[in-house]
Short mmCIF file of all heavy atoms in Angstrom, two decimals:
data_model
loop_
_atom_site.label_atom_id
_atom_site.label_comp_id
_atom_site.label_asym_id
_atom_site.label_seq_id
_atom_site.Cartn_x
_atom_site.Cartn_y
_atom_site.Cartn_z
N ALA A 4 -8.64 -3.32 -17.48
CA ALA A 4 -9.40 -2.70 -18.55
C ALA A 4 -9.22 -1.17 -18.60
O ALA A 4 -8.92 -0.53 -17.59
CB ALA A 4 -10.88 -3.03 -18.37
N ALA A 6 -11.47 2.21 -19.63
CA ALA A 6 -12.84 2.65 -19.91
C ALA A 6 -12.81 3.84 -20.86
O ALA A 6 -11.98 4.74 -20.71
CB ALA A 6 -13.53 3.04 -18.60
N ARG A 13 -17.74 10.10 -31.99
CA ARG A 13 -16.82 10.15 -33.13
C ARG A 13 -15.36 9.95 -32.71
O ARG A 13 -14.64 9.14 -33.30
CB ARG A 13 -16.96 11.50 -33.85
CG ARG A 13 -18.31 11.69 -34.49
CD ARG A 13 -18.34 12.97 -35.30
NE ARG A 13 -17.96 14.14 -34.53
CZ ARG A 13 -17.55 15.29 -35.03
NH1 ARG A 13 -17.45 15.43 -36.33
NH2 ARG A 13 -17.26 16.32 -34.25
N THR A 73 -14.60 11.37 -23.14
CA THR A 73 -14.81 12.16 -24.37
C THR A 73 -16.31 12.33 -24.61
O THR A 73 -16.87 11.86 -25.60
CB THR A 73 -14.02 11.54 -25.56
OG1 THR A 73 -14.30 12.26 -26.73
CG2 THR A 73 -14.28 10.06 -25.74
N GLY A 77 -25.02 18.70 -24.02
CA GLY A 77 -26.03 19.53 -24.66
C GLY A 77 -25.68 20.99 -24.45
O GLY A 77 -24.64 21.31 -23.85
N THR A 81 -29.62 25.11 -18.28
CA THR A 81 -29.84 24.33 -17.06
C THR A 81 -30.46 22.99 -17.44
O THR A 81 -30.82 22.78 -18.58
CB THR A 81 -30.80 25.06 -16.10
OG1 THR A 81 -32.02 25.31 -16.81
CG2 THR A 81 -30.23 26.38 -15.60
N GLN A 87 -23.13 21.96 -17.54
CA GLN A 87 -22.81 21.78 -16.12
C GLN A 87 -22.93 20.30 -15.73
O GLN A 87 -22.09 19.75 -15.01
CB GLN A 87 -23.74 22.62 -15.26
CG GLN A 87 -23.51 22.41 -13.77
CD GLN A 87 -24.41 23.25 -12.90
OE1 GLN A 87 -25.32 23.92 -13.39
NE2 GLN A 87 -24.16 23.24 -11.61
N ASN A 96 -18.36 12.95 -10.94
CA ASN A 96 -18.91 11.61 -10.66
C ASN A 96 -17.92 10.52 -11.08
O ASN A 96 -17.76 9.51 -10.40
CB ASN A 96 -20.24 11.42 -11.39
CG ASN A 96 -21.34 12.30 -10.84
OD1 ASN A 96 -21.26 12.76 -9.70
ND2 ASN A 96 -22.35 12.57 -11.65
N VAL A 113 -7.66 10.59 -18.95
CA VAL A 113 -7.45 11.44 -20.13
C VAL A 113 -8.77 12.14 -20.42
O VAL A 113 -9.80 11.48 -20.65
CB VAL A 113 -6.99 10.62 -21.35
CG1 VAL A 113 -6.89 11.52 -22.58
CG2 VAL A 113 -5.64 9.96 -21.07
N VAL A 144 -10.16 17.57 -12.53
CA VAL A 144 -9.20 16.51 -12.89
C VAL A 144 -7.80 16.90 -12.39
O VAL A 144 -7.10 16.08 -11.78
CB VAL A 144 -9.19 16.29 -14.42
CG1 VAL A 144 -8.07 15.36 -14.84
CG2 VAL A 144 -10.54 15.74 -14.88
N VAL A 183 -8.71 20.37 -36.10
CA VAL A 183 -7.83 19.20 -35.94
C VAL A 183 -8.64 17.96 -36.29
O VAL A 183 -9.86 17.92 -36.06
CB VAL A 183 -7.24 19.15 -34.52
CG1 VAL A 183 -8.31 19.00 -33.45
CG2 VAL A 183 -6.22 18.01 -34.37
N GLN A 202 2.00 12.85 -18.69
CA GLN A 202 1.30 13.03 -17.40
C GLN A 202 1.43 14.46 -16.88
O GLN A 202 2.49 15.07 -16.95
CB GLN A 202 1.85 12.04 -16.38
CG GLN A 202 1.38 10.64 -16.74
CD GLN A 202 1.56 9.66 -15.61
OE1 GLN A 202 1.78 10.04 -14.47
NE2 GLN A 202 1.43 8.39 -15.93
N GLY A 210 -4.43 21.08 -36.39
CA GLY A 210 -3.93 20.43 -37.59
C GLY A 210 -3.37 21.45 -38.57
O GLY A 210 -3.53 22.65 -38.39
N ALA A 212 -0.36 22.33 -39.09
CA ALA A 212 0.82 23.05 -38.57
C ALA A 212 1.66 22.03 -37.82
O ALA A 212 1.21 20.92 -37.53
CB ALA A 212 0.39 24.18 -37.64
N GLU A 217 5.20 11.66 -35.10
CA GLU A 217 5.81 10.32 -35.12
C GLU A 217 6.30 9.94 -33.73
O GLU A 217 6.09 8.83 -33.27
CB GLU A 217 6.98 10.29 -36.11
CG GLU A 217 6.48 10.14 -37.55
CD GLU A 217 7.42 10.73 -38.58
OE1 GLU A 217 8.57 11.07 -38.22
OE2 GLU A 217 6.98 10.88 -39.74
N LEU A 235 -1.66 26.15 -7.62
CA LEU A 235 -2.46 26.70 -8.72
C LEU A 235 -3.72 27.35 -8.15
O LEU A 235 -4.42 26.73 -7.37
CB LEU A 235 -2.85 25.53 -9.62
CG LEU A 235 -3.31 25.78 -11.03
CD1 LEU A 235 -2.15 26.32 -11.87
CD2 LEU A 235 -3.76 24.45 -11.64
N PRO A 245 -26.07 33.06 -15.45
CA PRO A 245 -26.77 34.32 -15.63
C PRO A 245 -27.73 34.22 -16.80
O PRO A 245 -27.54 33.39 -17.70
CB PRO A 245 -25.65 35.29 -15.97
CG PRO A 245 -24.59 34.45 -16.59
CD PRO A 245 -24.71 33.09 -15.97
#
Side-chain angles (χ1 to χ4, degrees):
R13 295 186 305 161
T73 177
T81 57
Q87 176 179 7
N96 292 338
V113 175
V144 172
V183 62
Q202 288 195 15
E217 280 153 12
L235 199 67

